[in-house]
Amino acid sequence: MRTTKTPSKAKAPARSWLTRLVLKAFVLCAGMGVCAALLLSLALALAWPNLPDLHAMTDYRPRVPLRIYTADQVLIGEFGEERRNVLRFDEIPDIMKSAILAAEDDRFYQHGGIDWTGVLRAAIANVVNMSKTQGASTITMQVARNFYLSSEKTYTRKFYELLLTFKIEATLTKDQILDLYMNQIFLGHRAYGFAAASRTYFGKPLADITAAEAAMLAGIPKAPSRFNPISNLARAKSRQAYVLNRMRSLGYLNDAEYQQAKDQPIVIKSAAGTPSGRYAVHGEYPAELARQLLYGVYQDDIYSRGFNIYTTIQSKDQEAAYESLRNGVLDYTRRAPYPGPEETVNLPAGIENQPEAFNDILDSVQEKYPDNGDLLTGIVLSASPTEVKVARSPSDIVSITDKRALRVVARGLVANAKDAVRIQRGSVVYVRQQDDYWELLNKPSIQAALVSLRPQDGGIVAMVGGFDYEEGKFNRVTQAWRQPGSSFKPFIYASALERGLTPATQISDEPFSLTAEQTGSKAWNPKNYGRTYEPMLTMRQGLYKSKNMVSIRIMQAVGPQYVQDYITRFGFDRSRQPAVLPLALGAGSVTPLQLAGGFAVFANGGYRVPPYLIDHVTDSSGKVIMRARPTIAGDTLARVIDPRTAYVMDDMLRGVATYGTGARAHRELKRNDIGGKTGTTNDSQDAWFAGFTPKLVAVAWMGFDQPKSMGQGETGGGAALPIWIGYMRTALAGQPEVPPGPMPSGLLRADNDFYFAEFPPGTAIARVGLPAPGDPLPGDQPSGQDGIGALLDRLHGQNDSDAAVPQPVRVPF
């Protein structure tokens, strides 16, 4: 008989095996848990002490850039990788705080640094979507990451982030953490913090932000490079819609407020002074110079410590200088022969009717030839002698029909125009709007500079170092060494007054020459401008008419070595002013700033006041850490020439600006307190006007960077003086005329002119004429490096009003 096992006896061994398996699993898990706990404890023990302290948060000093202001506190420059406008927590509007919480961390005030609910929600969403569609970083975690940690995606970095998050929460209040976040977070386009972002994207302070704008800003941190409204407005609006919905669902906005915010059009407008916006004043050149000067003291620290430089620049004067220089350069460009379009691109027939394809062509052209201020790039659609149509975009077509504008480019519109200058379909050109018509211009190749300063203390009130700062930071005011031509003659005349000559001294204007034997090199036959000569002129008449022969004979009488020594009193570099006769024609080298400093001596009564740009510097808290101590006219230690010499030269230079080569200044400005001197170098390579009133000195220069002729007939009076007048018209507006002061003691007035007491009529030098044959010439020097022969080798002869121009030397200011 066969027996069978009962069911209960058959199942017993199975249950025993399962129990043992469960028990072993439990022990294993418990052991692993204990090990994990031990490892975690060890990790915490090792990592916690190595966490950074929170000094950077509790004593928050953000990387605030260097900012540069005019004397009237207009921002003209900002240097540093980060743009910030730090606000206190109570200065940030509630609507901005609400938008940030809705977008980034709505449970910020409830969790302890890690939102476990958010972690679970993100995990579920990521599993459902089979991708990382949501993150769980809290505001505190982002603060930890931004202050102390890199953005690398490693478990070690994440572990430190979690630990640092707990430390931050244990040390700071929630409001402090949110305050740090709102001032520290990167929001694209070099803007850090929501205050800077508001200026960058909407051109307004954060206090004026609307709910719609706050929601757009709050959406940027998710992906600053992709969700900011400048880079991608469509994606920014999509993100804004999400934030607005969150704000409504969380109760930060009611239905009416939500609808209003949703309907509000977003206007992108970068504020002046932001990376995307321009400054209210074109002060790029003085801002860069101020940066260089402070960098010499603090090096790279200047870009993060929140320094503020307050310059001597006046915003009204600076903008007037910029506009006048641009107008002067464009006026010259209109006078000069039209050189042709920038290039000619292939423009298929009918492409203008295909906006997308046409935009691609326009984009590539405008990337290569960007707009330059009010000079706007375009492509010619059609051209004839009576009309040129230029496309700025498929929908923005400029029609040029004004005869004044067409006359400027006529050589490019005639039927037989050369290929290089022909204006035709596809030509890349610049257009500019005048008051009542459009004109077509090439981009100027000539350059100019203008600087003005106060003769009382040397404070620079305006500085423009070129036509376009963006094309090169070379500052021609401080770095371009050029020959000053006749604008240097007043310093020669001043030296003569202190050697016994007077404004009434009769001087020969007959042709002058030196033989090759006398120069030690080649013959020198200088000419008057226009090649006109007179038998004799007074010193005053010679200055008014800018006669070269008169200047040469004055220097010959005084002595070149004395002149070289004398002019260093004005701040000129001795090594650049050779003691030879051609110096009488401005054959040395000066910068526009040096020349302005020299003329300031005439304007202020005989005191040398070195030019300066920085008035004072403050740190991020507003404490003054540097302050200028300028030399003041009237300080006896600053006197460099006899007050009588200054008085007489002021009188003579006022005559130049009223009756002489600079008479246009008096005619147009209708002032009697202006003095000045024109300057035109050989072959019209440089054009100058240096002029002043007792309150303001200004120097204007025009020429090519690589010296060449500006064209026949171009002079300082025609090219540089209009720039000077345009600037002074604004700078002197509302300023009363300043009459000449009382005559200094020791100065006599006789026969309607001036005499020093020690050189009265009858004793003063009455006549300077040609030397007798065979007499030694004071200008003769042995040949060699420092002699007149060596200089003439460089000059290649004197055939116009002044000396030729050496290559500009680039040296630091």
Side-chain angles (χ1 to χ4, degrees):
M1 181 176 177
R2 194 169 123 184
T3 61
T4 60
K5 295 181 180 181
T6 63
S8 59
K9 291 180 179 180
K11 294 179 180 177
R15 283 200 302 271
S16 175
W17 177 84
L18 183 60
T19 300
R20 288 195 301 272
L21 182 62
V22 170
L23 181 60
K24 289 179 179 180
F26 175 77
V27 171
L28 179 62
C29 290
M32 292 178 64
V34 170
C35 290
L38 289 173
L39 288 172
L40 181 61
S41 299
L42 180 62
L44 287 172
L46 294 174
W48 190 268
N50 293 322
L51 288 175
D53 63 38
L54 302 185
H55 177 75
M57 293 184 176
T58 56
D59 185 22
Y60 179 46
R61 295 181 181 180
R63 292 175 60 84
V64 179
L66 169 69
R67 293 191 174 100
I68 301 173
Y69 297 88
T70 62
D72 47 340
Q73 300 192 8
V74 176
L75 183 68
I76 57 172
E78 199 169 21
F79 298 90
E81 290 302 315
E82 302 178 3
R83 300 291 191 260
R84 297 183 189 277
N85 298 92
V86 179
L87 299 179
R88 298 190 309 272
F89 186 76
D90 59 356
E91 293 176 321
I92 298 175
D94 290 339
I95 192 64
M96 190 71 251
K97 298 171 187 173
S98 299
I100 292 168
L101 295 175
E104 293 295 320
D105 192 354
D106 61 276
R107 299 187 68 255
F108 172 72
Y109 282 96
Q110 284 76 51
H111 62 66
I114 299 176
D115 184 7
W116 298 109
T117 303
V119 171
L120 180 61
R121 181 175 63 244
I124 294 172
N126 293 339
V127 169
V128 170
N129 292 281
M130 298 299 290
S131 65
K132 191 178 186 302
T133 59
Q134 287 191 23
S137 289
T138 63
I139 284 176
T140 310
M141 293 167 71
Q142 292 183 58
V143 168
R145 190 183 311 134
N146 288 334
F147 268 88
Y148 294 110
L149 303 171
S150 69
S151 58
E152 60 177 344
K153 299 182 182 299
T154 65
Y155 290 110
T156 301
R157 201 275 302 162
K158 195 67 176 177
F159 177 66
Y160 270 94
E161 180 183 312
L162 293 174
L163 295 185
L164 191 54
T165 296
F166 289 131
K167 188 173 183 178
I168 292 170
E169 288 278 347
T171 306
L172 304 178
T173 67
K174 286 289 189 179
D175 284 354
Q176 287 176 315
I177 296 170
L178 185 58
D179 182 28
L180 291 171
Y181 175 83
M182 290 188 292
N183 280 304
Q184 178 74 12
I185 194 71
F186 174 61
L187 295 165
H189 283 269
R190 298 168 70 186
Y192 286 76
F194 287 92
S198 180
R199 294 179 64 245
T200 296
Y201 299 122
F202 304 128
K204 61 172 64 175
L206 194 63
D208 298 338
I209 213 77
T210 66
E213 293 162 341
M216 182 163 283
L217 292 180
I220 296 176
K222 181 177 177 64
S225 62
R226 300 195 305 274
F227 286 165
N228 76 75
I230 290 179
S231 298
N232 195 325
L233 183 58
R235 298 188 75 170
K237 285 184 175 180
S238 175
R239 180 70 177 158
Q240 176 206 35
Y242 164 78
V243 176
L244 287 174
N245 274 317
R246 293 281 297 152
M247 293 175 73
R248 179 176 61 171
S249 64
L250 293 169
Y252 295 133
L253 297 176
N254 58 36
D255 288 343
E257 291 168 335
Y258 165 77
Q259 193 61 45
Q260 181 181 5
K262 186 179 177 182
D263 293 340
Q264 178 188 327
I266 294 295
V267 178
I268 306 303
K269 179 185 177 183
S270 297
T274 62
S276 299
R278 295 194 174 273
Y279 297 100
V281 173
H282 291 85
E284 297 89 348
Y285 286 101
E288 169 60 17
L289 181 56
R291 181 200 68 79
Q292 293 175 16
L293 294 173
L294 195 65
Y295 183 86
V297 178
Y298 291 100
Q299 303 297 304
D300 288 331
D301 281 353
I302 66 173
Y303 302 121
S304 60
R305 293 175 57 180
F307 289 145
N308 299 293
I309 298 178
Y310 294 89
T311 66
T312 55
I313 297 293
Q314 293 290 335
S315 60
K316 176 177 70 72
D317 289 57
Q318 180 65 28
E319 195 62 14
Y322 171 82
E323 293 292 343
S324 186
L325 184 144
R326 300 263 305 184
N327 288 336
V329 169
L330 291 175
D331 282 343
Y332 170 84
T333 302
R334 296 184 190 97
R335 293 194 302 271
Y338 178 65
E342 302 295 333
E343 70 169 289
T344 299
V345 299
N346 180 31
L347 204 61
I351 190 71
E352 56 267 42
N353 300 319
Q354 304 172 41
E356 188 171 338
F358 194 26
N359 266 325
D360 289 341
I361 296 175
L362 288 165
D363 287 346
S364 63
V365 165
Q366 289 172 350
E367 182 177 353
K368 186 176 180 181
Y369 304 100
D371 293 346
N372 184 282
D374 56 358
L375 287 176
L376 309 178
T377 311
I379 298 179
V380 173
L381 296 179
S382 63
S384 74
T386 58
E387 182 181 30
V388 179
K389 288 188 175 181
V390 180
R392 288 272 298 151
S393 73
S395 59
D396 184 6
I397 310 298
V398 172
S399 182
I400 300 168
T401 57
D402 190 274
K403 292 181 179 179
R404 290 165 292 181
L406 293 172
R407 190 180 304 119
V408 172
V409 295
R411 68 194 301 250
L413 296 173
V414 295
N416 61 346
K418 295 181 179 179
D419 290 342
V421 300
R422 183 185 300 278
I423 300 173
Q424 58 189 310
R425 181 177 173 83
S427 292
V428 178
V429 297
Y430 285 93
V431 294
R432 179 176 179 269
Q433 188 166 24
Q434 290 276 39
D435 293 336
D436 56 350
Y437 66 92
W438 284 88
E439 62 178 340
L440 189 154
L441 291 171
N442 61 298
K443 189 173 182 179
S445 57
I446 202 164
Q447 284 294 343
L450 189 146
V451 61
S452 72
L453 53 82
R454 296 187 299 260
Q456 291 76 28
D457 66 353
I460 298 171
V461 297
M463 174 189 287
V464 184
F467 183 79
D468 180 19
Y469 176 81
E470 296 301 326
E471 287 215 335
K473 299 178 181 179
F474 181 61
N475 188 342
R476 294 157 188 86
V477 167
T478 61
Q479 294 177 285
W481 293 89
R482 309 292 293 224
Q483 286 190 333
S486 295
S487 66
F488 200 74
K489 289 176 181 177
F491 306 103
I492 311 299
Y493 280 55
S495 72
L497 292 175
E498 298 193 8
R499 298 282 277 184
L501 276 72
T502 75
T505 299
Q506 296 282 327
I507 303 170
S508 171
D509 185 42
E510 295 289 350
F512 178 94
S513 65
L514 293 176
T515 66
E517 290 76 17
Q518 289 173 312
T519 67
S521 175
K522 60 181 69 174
W524 183 47
N525 299 290
K527 303 290 189 297
N528 276 340
Y529 183 75
R531 291 168 170 74
T532 59
Y533 304 90
E534 301 175 57
M536 301 289 286
L537 292 170
T538 64
M539 178 192 281
R540 181 182 293 275
Q541 292 169 334
L543 186 63
Y544 287 6
K545 297 181 178 182
S546 196
K547 290 287 191 169
N548 287 345
M549 302 304 106
V550 172
S551 297
I552 292 170
R553 289 192 171 90
I554 288 174
M555 187 164 178
Q556 186 183 46
V558 173
Q561 188 61 58
Y562 177 82
V563 171
Q564 184 191 46
D565 293 337
Y566 185 82
I567 61 177
T568 60
R569 304 181 190 184
F570 297 86
F572 297 115
D573 186 344
R574 177 190 298 270
S575 66
R576 296 180 180 273
Q577 312 299 333
V580 292
L581 287 182
L583 185 61
L585 308 183
S589 298
V590 302
T591 67
L593 184 62
Q594 272 192 341
L595 195 61
F599 272 82
V601 177
F602 297 138
N604 65 26
Y607 301 90
R608 182 184 171 194
V609 288
Y612 73 104
L613 177 64
I614 297 177
D615 181 77
H616 66 280
V617 180
T618 66
D619 61 17
S620 58
S621 65
K623 179 183 177 182
V624 176
I625 59 174
M626 293 176 62
R627 186 177 291 279
R629 291 181 174 84
T631 301
I632 305 298
D635 182 348
T636 55
L637 296 178
R639 176 167 291 286
V640 292
I641 64 172
D642 191 308
R644 299 172 298 175
T645 301
Y647 190 91
V648 173
M649 288 305 305
D650 174 68
D651 179 79
M652 292 175 69
L653 289 168
R654 289 190 187 209
V656 173
T658 304
Y659 311 108
T661 57
R664 181 176 175 181
H666 179 268
R667 288 199 308 272
E668 295 204 17
L669 296 179
K670 295 178 172 55
R671 297 179 66 102
N672 297 311
D673 59 348
I674 294 172
K677 185 68 185 75
T678 56
T680 311
T681 60
N682 188 49
D683 201 26
S684 296
Q685 294 192 19
D686 290 81
W688 296 84
F689 187 79
F692 61 90
T693 70
K695 299 295 184 183
L696 193 64
V697 177
V699 170
W701 165 86
M702 183 183 290
F704 291 97
D705 280 340
Q706 298 302 318
K708 64 178 182 178
S709 175
M710 293 189 294
Q712 187 176 5
E714 293 292 342
T715 64
L721 179 56
I723 295 175
W724 189 92
I725 291 173
Y727 164 71
M728 281 293 203
R729 183 175 286 114
T730 298
L732 297 179
Q735 300 291 327
E737 284 189 18
V738 181
M743 284 199 311
S745 61
L747 185 65
L748 309 176
R749 190 172 186 99
D751 301 326
N752 202 32
D753 225 321
F754 298 102
Y755 295 83
F756 285 12
E758 62 269 36
F759 303 120
T763 301
I765 297 175
R767 177 186 176 92
V768 173
L770 288 170
D775 286 352
L777 294 173
D780 288 356
Q781 298 263 342
S783 61
Q785 183 63 32
D786 297 321
I788 191 171
L791 182 64
L792 290 177
D793 285 339
R794 288 197 297 113
L795 296 182
H796 305 296
Q798 294 288 138
N799 296 314
D800 211 326
S801 59
D802 301 292
V805 186
Q807 296 292 320
V809 180
R810 287 163 165 75
V811 297
F813 171 61

